[in-house]
Amino acid sequence: RKEVEQDPGPFNVPEGATVAFNCTYSNSASQSFFWYRQDCRKEPKLLMSVYSSGNEDGRFTAQLNRASQYISLLIRDSKLSDSATYLCVVNGNTDKLIFGTGTRLQVFP
Amino acid sequence: GAGVSQSPSNKVTEKGKDVELRCDPISGHTALYWYRQSLGQGLEFLIYFQGNSAPDKSGLPSDRFSAERTGGSVSTLTIQRTQQEDSAVYLCASSPARGAYTEAFFGQGTRLTVV
């Protein structure tokens, strides 16, 4: 089983739609969780951290479910500019950050 | 302040030649990662340095690949006898001291083309 697994997509959604991505992780001892965003031909950048209580940043909501070992990202009112690849990141043993392979989102007009 | 710096930004090399890729992490960051990313693919972990601990080399694809980190700062990734399948973007990231919620910051990458 991969340490971090994501559906590669692509998710094709119209502007204004709500879309959700899930990511599962295998290490029950993981303590830190993040969502990164990667635009085409650019380096990944932090989108948001994922806290135990869940957190929201504008149109973006992140949730953590420790019992089932998954994290989620919800994007409301999708914009064309949200088109990107979203990477799930979890810390493993020795604090090494482990990146999922990403979920591609394409928002169309 | 300065972010993670990688050089060169682009490198074209002939098959069979050796190449060195450089990464200057953010000052004071103890963790340093190397990844590679082929076109349209996800990040492939190569190696992880954390402080003075032995590096995690579990992602290096063959013994042609090696990396070192001098003085806990600058890192060099060396690929010997390059092959066409080594063509990819090589990304470096650094992260502050260990602890919860210490994010990684990426450089802009080195695009390696082996011809």
Side-chain angles (χ1 to χ4, degrees):
Chain A
R1 182 183 172 187
K2 284 186 180 178
E3 292 178 282
V4 178
E5 292 202 68
Q6 296 183 250
D7 180 341
F11 285 63
N12 296 305
V13 302
E15 276 186 288
T18 295
V19 62
F21 311 133
N22 283 339
C23 162
T24 58
Y25 61 94
S26 62
N27 187 346
S28 59
S30 294
Q31 294 294 319
S32 303
F33 309 89
F34 308 90
W35 284 101
Y36 275 66
R37 171 188 169 132
Q38 185 175 26
D39 293 297
C40 187
R41 295 182 172 263
K42 297 284 190 181
E43 74 275 19
K45 292 184 179 177
L46 179 69
L47 175 66
M48 58 196 302
S49 302
V50 186
Y51 301 117
S52 296
S53 54
N55 47 300
E56 190 172 304
D57 182 2
R59 297 181 294 107
F60 298 83
T61 301
Q63 296 280 351
L64 167 62
N65 185 316
R66 286 192 185 274
S68 300
Q69 292 182 211
Y70 76 83
I71 67 173
S72 64
L73 177 68
L74 181 79
I75 305 175
R76 289 181 299 277
D77 189 23
S78 298
K79 310 291 185 191
L80 295 176
S81 57
D82 294 334
S83 297
T85 297
Y86 291 84
L87 305 171
C88 170
V89 186
V90 177
N91 79 317
N93 296 331
T94 70
D95 284 331
K96 182 176 83 176
L97 293 180
I98 300 166
F99 284 74
T101 51
T103 297
R104 193 154 65 89
L105 172 66
Q106 184 67 49
V107 182
F108 58 88
Chain B
V4 177
S5 177
Q6 291 188 244
S7 59
S9 54
N10 280 286
K11 176 74 177 177
V12 179
T13 190
E14 291 181 353
K15 179 180 170 182
K17 294 283 177 74
D18 297 353
V19 294
E20 285 190 353
L21 312 180
R22 177 185 168 108
C23 173
D24 281 272
I26 294 172
S27 178
H29 280 194
T30 60
L32 188 147
Y33 304 77
W34 282 100
Y35 296 88
R36 88 176 161 181
Q37 189 169 35
S38 300
L39 192 62
Q41 302 298 309
L43 293 178
E44 178 186 1
F45 167 75
L46 297 178
I47 189 167
Y48 166 60
F49 295 91
Q50 174 57 270
N52 295 320
S53 302
D56 176 352
K57 303 180 181 180
S58 60
L60 294 178
S62 77
D63 59 9
R64 296 187 296 106
F65 288 73
S66 62
E68 60 179 29
R69 189 177 183 192
T70 52
S73 181
V74 171
S75 177
T76 302
L77 177 69
T78 301
I79 309 173
Q80 295 178 312
R81 305 181 302 282
T82 51
Q83 304 294 313
Q84 286 185 328
E85 61 262 29
D86 299 335
S87 296
V89 175
Y90 289 79
L91 288 161
C92 174
S94 72
S95 182
R98 343 170 92 128
Y101 291 101
T102 52
E103 68 175 283
F105 297 82
F106 283 81
Q108 293 188 322
T110 293
R111 184 174 301 277
L112 175 67
T113 304
V114 182
V115 298

